[in-house]
Amino acid sequence: ISDSFLKKLTENEHSDAWSPNVILARYYVENFIENCVFQLEITDKHNLNSARLIILDSTKKLAEVLLRNNQFKALNVLINFWIEIIENFIKDSSRDSRKVVANLRFVIEELLKLKNETNPSINEVFRALGWIGEKYLLENSSEKKTFMPKSFGESSDFSNLMNVVLGVQGTLNNELPGWYPLIYFDAVNVIFWRVLESKSLDAADLHNTIFNLIYIFTSFAESAIVVGNHRGAELSVLRIDGAIQKLHTAGLKDLEKTAIELLLDVGSTASGHREKLVDKNLLPTQIDDWIIEKLAGYTNGDNLKSEVFEVYLRGKGSIEGRREFIIKLGERLGSNFDLNFSRSTTKI
């Protein structure tokens, strides 16, 4: 795989105008893929597992070349080919599947480094992430796992994918809190829905996976609030609310309570930074007021006593804002949460 041809092609990644160079780059990738498909069919027929890994590794090298030359629309063709590989060529070989996910992880990390939310490939790679997560869970819905791993450090295909999902979370929170990660959240959502239906996860795995998925929304909401990204924060709280409803329907009461407490945390943070959230986009009211109404429909003051005390003492943002949030929540729920304060005093 050489850069020499692609270097001669230039693509304006911000333009939708037709360009022969874009078409040529796509043809280049499509021709490469045709050869890969032919070789994969041979390896499949003759069980040439090591050769299949070499082919999969070559697709990563192609991705490196495309990224270096800003050929993102051609990269999308390759991303979709990786989905096709998992769907048609990978059956029982976790090693092959992990190779594809590793390739996907490499592309995601490189794209996020560009810090360009409108990049043509960023949403394509997030869609692939969600699709693969769904496929793993659907295909292994009745799988029975052994209690003892075959080797030290063994992890499932789904665990490897979750590591990629959680890696994106860390980058968004720390480096890109101003984004509006709609398609990434869609990917997280579909994985969350399939996890609820899954029969392949034991109780501990189910609890940890669901918590981690909901916390993706929670942590980004708080990061977005701190930088005044009201659209990203509103999207996040809507997804938390949707998760609470799904957990209620599934009868997972402990996890539902945890999700409600996470929503409370976000409400406190939003109230503590209210001056940064003057605009509204997806919600009819300010985020903290909207959350108060939602909490009133989900719980009562007795269930929130310890969590309210925690956010009052250790929450994010101004203590005056957090106190105002707790008083308004208490008035709405008809509770003082066993805290001795009112609008006339800040003492507990």
Side-chain angles (χ1 to χ4, degrees), residues 97-249:
S97 182
R98 291 175 193 181
K99 185 66 179 174
V100 172
V101 171
N103 291 351
L104 196 66
R105 181 175 198 157
F106 165 76
V107 169
I108 290 173
E109 290 173 349
E110 293 302 308
L111 289 172
L112 290 176
K113 287 177 184 177
L114 300 176
K115 299 184 177 181
N116 179 6
E117 191 173 3
T118 62
N119 184 290
S121 294
I122 195 72
N123 286 334
E124 199 71 30
V125 80
F126 288 153
R127 286 189 188 96
L129 205 60
W131 185 91
I132 295 171
E134 272 199 281
K135 182 172 176 63
Y136 284 162
L137 290 164
L138 286 171
E139 289 196 344
N140 299 307
S141 60
S142 60
E143 176 186 304
K144 297 295 183 182
K145 297 191 301 181
T146 59
F147 291 107
M148 181 65 72
K150 288 183 292 187
S151 61
F152 177 77
E154 180 196 22
S155 59
S156 69
D157 291 341
F158 180 68
S159 296
N160 287 326
L161 185 80
M162 278 298 298
N163 288 336
V164 180
V165 173
L166 296 173
V168 174
Q169 170 200 4
T171 302
L172 289 178
N173 292 347
N174 297 326
E175 301 177 29
L176 305 167
W179 277 27
Y180 183 75
L182 176 63
I183 305 303
Y184 171 62
F185 277 10
D186 285 348
V188 174
N189 242 0
V190 296
I191 294 172
F192 172 77
W193 296 338
R194 295 304 182 188
V195 166
L196 288 179
E197 301 170 358
S198 176
K199 302 294 190 296
S200 62
L201 298 175
D202 59 33
D205 284 344
L206 180 70
H207 185 281
N208 292 337
T209 302
I210 289 176
F211 176 83
N212 286 336
L213 291 169
I214 298 173
Y215 193 70
I216 288 173
F217 304 139
T218 305
S219 60
F220 185 77
E222 295 189 334
S223 297
I225 287 167
V226 169
V227 299
N229 176 10
H230 68 94
R231 293 179 70 246
E234 289 175 10
L235 176 67
S236 301
V237 297
L238 284 169
R239 294 305 171 86
I240 299 169
D241 182 53
I244 291 171
Q245 295 177 36
K246 286 282 187 181
L247 291 169
H248 179 77
T249 302

Side-chain angles (χ1 to χ4, degrees), residues 181-336:
L182 176 63
I183 305 303
Y184 171 62
F185 277 10
D186 285 348
V188 174
N189 242 0
V190 296
I191 294 172
F192 172 77
W193 296 338
R194 295 304 182 188
V195 166
L196 288 179
E197 301 170 358
S198 176
K199 302 294 190 296
S200 62
L201 298 175
D202 59 33
D205 284 344
L206 180 70
H207 185 281
N208 292 337
T209 302
I210 289 176
F211 176 83
N212 286 336
L213 291 169
I214 298 173
Y215 193 70
I216 288 173
F217 304 139
T218 305
S219 60
F220 185 77
E222 295 189 334
S223 297
I225 287 167
V226 169
V227 299
N229 176 10
H230 68 94
R231 293 179 70 246
E234 289 175 10
L235 176 67
S236 301
V237 297
L238 284 169
R239 294 305 171 86
I240 299 169
D241 182 53
I244 291 171
Q245 295 177 36
K246 286 282 187 181
L247 291 169
H248 179 77
T249 302
L252 298 172
K253 294 183 179 180
D254 288 345
L255 283 164
E256 180 188 359
K257 183 177 184 296
T258 298
I260 289 170
E261 291 171 351
L262 290 174
L263 187 61
L264 170 68
D265 292 345
V266 176
S268 170
T269 301
S271 190
H273 296 84
R274 212 170 203 270
E275 73 285 354
K276 297 181 179 180
L277 302 169
V278 294
D279 295 321
K280 300 188 294 294
N281 181 258
L282 302 174
L283 303 179
T285 62
Q286 291 289 89
I287 293 175
D288 51 347
D289 292 334
W290 184 86
I291 287 177
I292 286 173
E293 288 304 309
K294 285 293 176 179
L295 291 173
Y298 291 140
T299 188
N300 58 59
D302 289 340
N303 291 334
L304 293 177
K305 288 179 181 178
S306 60
E307 188 64 22
V308 165
F309 185 73
E310 189 71 19
V311 298
Y312 182 75
L313 291 181
R314 299 184 178 86
K316 299 175 182 177
S318 71
I319 192 167
E320 294 83 5
R322 301 200 309 270
R323 174 179 169 272
E324 181 70 13
F325 175 77
I326 293 171
I327 291 174
K328 288 162 68 175
L329 178 62
E331 290 174 345
R332 184 67 178 83
L333 297 180
S335 171
N336 66 358

